[in-house]
Amino acid sequence: VPQVPRSGGAPTIGLLVGLMVTLAAVVADSWYVTRKISDLQTLQRELADRNRKDSLQLLRIQSNLNALGLAMRDMLDNDEPYPLTAWSTQFERIRTDLNDALNRQDQLAVSARTPEQRRYLVSSVSQFWDAVDRMFELAQSGHKDEARGQIRLSLQARQAALSTAVARLLRENNQSEEETAKRAQNIYRQVQYQVYLFLAATAGAIALTSLYLIRHNRRLFARLAALSDSRRDVTQQLMATRESTLRHVARELHDDLGQMLTAMGSMLTRAGKRVPEGSEIKADLREVSEIAQAALDNVRSLSQTLHPSLLEEAGLESTVRWYLSAVERQTGITVAYDRSGVPVGVEADVAIQVYRVLQEAVTNVARHSEASHVLVRLKFDSTALQLDVEDHGHGLNDGKSRHGLGIVTMRERAELVGGTLEFLRPAEGGTLVRLTVALNGRKKDVSAK
Ligand SMILES: Nc1ncnc2c1ncn2[C@@H]1O[C@H](COP(=O)(O)OP(=O)(O)OP(=O)(O)O)[C@@H](O)[C@H]1O
Ligand SMILES: [Mg+2]
């Protein structure tokens, strides 16, 4: 009996661990990526967008300041035919727009700038407008030169300082935008790295789990194969023993008991001859002689049933014929037998198994099918033998649990000779048992001796 390797138990724990690791990796990674994406969204919303809008307002302020600068230059140019007060409407318009831009910019820059920075811009602008008002007052009251002096000394300088401040703010915005972009880039890189890490971890977990499963399965299959081998060996030995025992008993019955009964019969006949005709003893002797003959017939028939010596003497085909006629006599079932092909020399160990399958299948028909006919077909061709036992009774009920050993043993026998056993349902209903055995190229040769 081959060695059966020990199995390591079901791989449940290993698989569960693999599953947990994979799930944990998925959860951790999803959490991380979600957090990073929301960071990115915040960055986008709070910094980048605000920065852009803020820069737009600053540009608006800058263009207003430029317009003021140009207007003041025109006012200082003496070749203008208009009085200085003619510019006051233009200044008013710019003032409204500038204030609006400043207000909007102030709201946007709440978090980005220090309170001093914000206050500086607002107060510088309002000081500029105070100075503008004073300059227009001077111009109104006819002090043209003083008003021009005011522009030259104070207003232009304030305008220039404001322009510088706004330019600086714009530059800062630009820098912070670059930083934001860098931070976003960084987050993208981290997420990318994380995704690679996750993929590697998952691939690793899957690979490890698969390797574990493969190893486990291989062990399991090895164990299964060994078990199956040893089971087959045991079955083969059992069947061989059974056949040889039956053969031995059949021989003993036929030879010993048969010879004794034959001897008894001839002695009785001889004794009968010595007794005068018509005596009572003569009648008794004849009766005993008939009983002895009946016993001899029974012993021979029992011997054939246990192990048909016909199989060795006359071959499978004749044995099947003899068996089927006995079945017809004993059970009352009509047997239709059909042989096709040339019965080639079937080896004795194959023949006995085919014969046993036939016996079991026919017995099953008689016992279970409730059919009155059975069709037996034996087909030979150059490579295989096929035995069909067909009845049109109620058929095998798949739902019913079966407790007999017959079908199991038939399968064992089929396997033993390297054949296949099928249970089919004929078109008319009932059961068709089909045994197919390849006549050459069988795997194992099991002797029934
Ligand atoms: N030709 C058939 N028609 C209808 N039912 C069948 C037929 N052959 C087998 N069966 C059903 O299949 C069951 C199993 O058959 P199997 O030969 O394995 O056991 P069994 O005949 O009941 O007992 P055992 O053969 O061990 O003496 C039977 O009990 C019967 O219900
Ligand atoms: Mg049976």
Side-chain angles (χ1 to χ4, degrees):
V1 176
Q3 276 278 302
V4 176
R6 279 167 185 277
S7 87
T12 323
I13 299 206
L15 287 182
L16 276 180
V17 169
L19 187 69
M20 301 277 250
V21 169
T22 314
L23 281 182
V26 170
V27 169
D29 193 71
S30 310
W31 175 79
Y32 180 84
V33 170
T34 314
R35 225 195 55 189
K36 283 291 159 188
I37 285 176
S38 99
D39 280 1
L40 258 182
Q41 281 171 337
T42 316
L43 202 67
Q44 188 77 26
R45 195 176 52 241
E46 303 207 331
L47 293 173
D49 287 358
R50 180 165 293 194
N51 222 338
R52 198 164 34 80
K53 287 181 189 157
D54 187 42
S55 292
L56 277 177
Q57 295 309 325
L58 285 175
L59 284 171
R60 191 172 156 202
I61 294 171
Q62 204 173 40
S63 97
N64 278 327
L65 289 173
N66 284 344
L68 286 173
L70 286 176
M72 287 192 290
R73 211 188 57 202
D74 290 349
M75 288 161 90
L76 290 180
D77 279 351
N78 272 327
D79 52 359
E80 288 285 342
Y82 312 110
L84 286 182
T85 45
W87 272 276
S88 74
T89 21
Q90 192 188 347
F91 269 63
E92 239 3 84
R93 213 182 52 239
I94 294 174
R95 184 180 193 158
T96 319
D97 197 60
L98 193 58
N99 278 347
D100 183 54
L102 266 176
N103 271 340
R104 284 173 192 240
Q105 191 269 338
D106 200 42
Q107 277 160 18
L108 289 168
V110 174
S111 57
R113 260 168 226 134
T114 61
E116 290 83 49
Q117 278 178 318
R118 292 166 56 201
R119 232 174 291 128
Y120 170 78
L121 201 62
V122 174
S123 65
S124 307
V125 171
S126 81
Q127 278 167 19
F128 174 80
W129 288 119
D130 288 348
V132 167
D133 288 345
R134 276 200 302 282
M135 179 274 288
F136 276 120
E137 271 165 26
L138 283 175
Q140 194 88 47
S141 53
H143 302 79
K144 280 198 294 188
D145 290 337
E146 279 158 54
R148 285 213 163 82
Q150 181 86 4
I151 291 174
R152 211 172 294 124
L153 290 175
S154 158
L155 284 182
Q156 280 190 324
R158 284 177 197 279
Q159 185 267 352
L162 273 171
S163 278
T164 316
V166 170
R168 201 183 54 238
L169 288 178
L170 270 171
R171 226 175 14 253
E172 276 172 17
N173 267 3
N174 213 32
Q175 270 167 9
S176 112
E177 214 158 297
E178 272 167 21
E179 257 164 48
T180 310
K182 247 184 237 162
R183 274 166 67 186
Q185 201 62 35
N186 227 11
I187 292 178
Y188 278 123
R189 252 204 304 278
Q190 282 171 351
V191 169
Q192 195 182 27
Y193 173 72
Q194 175 67 19
V195 167
Y196 286 151
L197 202 72
F198 167 73
L199 286 180
T202 314
I206 290 173
L208 280 180
T209 314
S210 307
L211 280 179
Y212 175 69
L213 253 184
I214 289 170
R215 222 179 63 136
H216 196 276
N217 272 1
R218 272 177 52 178
R219 274 213 220 127
L220 216 64
F221 276 113
R223 186 173 145 79
L224 214 65
L227 274 176
S228 161
D229 281 352
S230 62
R231 187 194 57 87
R232 197 173 48 227
D233 288 352
V234 169
T235 315
Q236 288 176 359
Q237 274 169 19
L238 271 179
M239 294 210 178
T241 314
R242 187 172 147 179
E243 286 307 333
S244 83
T245 310
L246 285 176
R247 200 173 143 113
H248 178 72
V249 172
R251 258 209 193 126
E252 290 289 305
L253 277 177
H254 184 269
D255 296 355
D256 285 10
L257 206 57
Q259 268 164 25
M260 281 184 216
L261 286 169
T262 313
M264 215 166 98
S266 46
M267 278 164 80
L268 283 168
T269 316
R270 260 205 325 268
K273 280 184 186 148
R274 286 195 216 116
V275 175
E277 207 63 44
S279 73
E280 239 175 74
I281 270 217
K282 177 132 187 149
D284 285 351
L285 278 176
R286 188 174 297 126
E287 206 174 316
V288 176
S289 169
E290 275 164 15
I291 291 174
Q293 185 56 46
L296 182 64
D297 290 347
N298 277 353
V299 162
R300 282 200 174 131
S301 149
L302 185 61
S303 162
Q304 282 295 327
T305 313
L306 290 181
H307 183 92
S309 54
L310 258 180
L311 214 49
E312 279 114 71
E313 292 152 14
L316 178 63
E317 219 272 318
S318 314
T319 313
V320 168
R321 233 176 248 288
W322 162 79
Y323 172 70
L324 291 177
S325 65
V327 166
E328 230 168 0
R329 260 199 330 276
Q330 286 158 12
T331 63
I333 288 183
T334 321
V335 181
Y337 174 57
D338 175 46
R339 192 211 78 202
S340 58
V342 191
V344 283
V346 184
E347 289 164 58
D349 55 317
V350 179
I352 184 69
Q353 304 301 352
V354 175
Y355 174 71
R356 293 293 185 213
V357 170
L358 170 75
Q359 258 186 324
E360 176 58 31
V362 171
T363 309
N364 274 353
V365 173
R367 276 173 63 188
H368 309 297
S369 74
E370 288 167 21
S372 54
H373 286 67
V374 59
L375 289 86
V376 177
R377 287 183 293 270
L378 194 55
K379 276 190 218 162
F380 293 94
D381 66 32
S382 53
T383 56
L385 167 166
Q386 180 182 303
L387 170 73
D388 282 0
V389 177
E390 179 176 336
D391 69 67
H392 300 149
H394 59 66
L396 285 173
N397 188 346
D398 287 332
K400 252 201 288 181
S401 63
R402 300 181 207 118
H403 302 291
L405 273 180
I407 290 178
V408 179
T409 318
M410 278 199 273
R411 285 197 193 285
E412 295 287 350
R413 289 184 191 282
E415 199 184 320
L416 208 63
V417 294
T420 54
L421 188 77
E422 297 165 277
F423 289 86
L424 308 167
R425 176 170 272 273
E428 299 91 334
T431 313
L432 167 58
V433 180
R434 171 166 293 165
L435 171 71
T436 318
V437 185
L439 288 178
N440 307 312
R442 260 188 319 121
K443 269 196 236 149
K444 262 190 175 174
D445 197 60
V446 179
S447 171
K449 274 165 224 148

